[in-house]
Amino acid sequence: MSTASHLHSPAPRQYKYYEFVMAAFVAVYLCSNLIGPAKAAQVVVPGLGPVTFGAGVLFFPISYIFGDVLTEVYGYARARRVIWAGFGAMVFASVMAAVVVALPPAPTWTNQPAYEIAFGSTWRIVAASLTAFFCGEFVNSYVLARMKIRSNGRHLWKRTIGSTIFGEGVDSLLFYPLAFWNSGLIPNELLPSIMLAQFVTKVGVETLFTPLTYKIVAFLKEAEREDHYDVDTDFTPFSIKV
């Protein structure tokens, strides 16, 4: 590229809130995977009785809400960069947790067993989580972007809930068999019911947050003066180009 053409290249678009939404996405994803899964919670649901679930399931769908917001406002390519940022952050957190857990504890420190329970996930579960996240988030973003073009930007709630159904469906279908099939931790015959319960819960959380999603999207579109349509977008997930 010549110096002249380089000087006349358009400057990349600058946004006020894109980095904040990225940081929120990564924070929610990390916390829901590092803090939530360590606790099994139980609530009594009228008509169903006691229901046991991983505490992280209440917060993990929020990452999909941020993914919807990113794709709806900034477009698939910028959402793709954020998904890769979350993936990289989780890889680093997993390696760090493994190293810290493996370090020999000081004789005066007696909390090693509790620390191992909280942060000592097996590499099979970590790999399953990363695979499910990567595939689920990209499916969610792709479906929302394509639905936006088809609907000409109308009916945001159909796009957010519809894309979540596909994204969370892929996430659940991948994570539980990859993490627990023939593992001895969860009986194989229970996996379908657990997958269904987790899927319904995650989609339900997304649905409940729909009014808030509308407000956030409307605010960002006005503040950023942006409402991206992915008409000529390269939808490959293996890129960070905008």
Side-chain angles (χ1 to χ4, degrees):
M1 180 182 293
S2 67
T3 303
S5 62
H6 177 72
L7 291 175
H8 288 88
S9 299
R13 177 74 186 276
Q14 299 296 316
Y15 295 102
K16 296 179 182 178
Y17 299 104
Y18 174 72
E19 290 82 4
F20 292 103
V21 181
M22 173 188 284
F25 175 94
V26 174
V28 170
Y29 172 57
L30 285 178
C31 290
S32 62
N33 277 275
L34 294 178
I35 300 174
K39 180 175 181 178
Q42 186 177 88
V43 296
V44 177
V45 179
L48 294 178
V51 176
T52 303
F53 57 93
V57 75
L58 296 177
F59 297 93
F60 180 75
I62 299 176
S63 67
Y64 273 77
I65 294 172
F66 281 114
D68 290 343
V69 170
L70 284 159
T71 305
E72 175 68 22
V73 178
Y74 303 103
Y76 177 90
R78 286 186 172 83
R80 176 173 57 196
R81 292 171 65 91
V82 176
I83 294 171
W84 274 109
F87 184 85
M90 190 61 197
V91 169
F92 173 78
S94 300
V95 172
M96 178 178 173
V99 171
V100 173
V101 168
L103 288 173
T108 56
W109 194 69
T110 60
N111 297 318
Q112 180 70 11
Y115 202 86
E116 290 177 358
I117 292 173
F119 298 104
S121 296
T122 65
W123 278 108
R124 177 177 176 178
I125 294 176
V126 171
S129 176
L130 288 169
T131 302
F133 165 79
F134 182 86
C135 297
E137 285 287 353
F138 274 115
V139 167
N140 177 77
S141 187
Y142 173 81
V143 170
L144 190 143
R146 301 299 292 182
M147 288 181 70
K148 184 174 183 179
I149 296 172
R150 282 180 172 270
S151 65
N152 198 27
R154 298 188 300 270
H155 310 304
L156 175 60
W157 66 272
K158 289 184 180 180
R159 299 197 295 280
T160 58
I161 296 175
S163 63
T164 297
I165 289 173
F166 281 95
E168 293 285 14
V170 169
D171 185 285
S172 297
L173 284 173
L174 288 176
F175 173 71
Y176 289 97
L178 290 175
F180 300 113
W181 185 262
N182 286 336
S183 67
L185 297 174
I186 298 177
N188 289 345
E189 60 270 17
L190 292 182
L191 286 177
S193 61
I194 294 174
M195 290 163 59
L196 179 61
Q198 296 283 318
F199 169 74
V200 171
T201 302
K202 291 174 181 178
V203 174
V205 171
E206 169 86 18
T207 304
L208 289 175
F209 274 95
T210 296
L212 179 60
T213 304
Y214 263 78
K215 291 182 181 296
I216 295 174
V217 166
F219 169 78
L220 288 175
K221 284 182 177 179
E222 182 177 357
E224 305 283 33
R225 299 184 183 276
E226 180 66 273
D227 185 6
H228 192 87
Y229 284 76
D230 288 291
V231 178
D232 299 316
T233 299
D234 179 3
F235 285 102
T236 176
F238 303 106
S239 173
I240 57 173
K241 292 182 179 179
V242 175

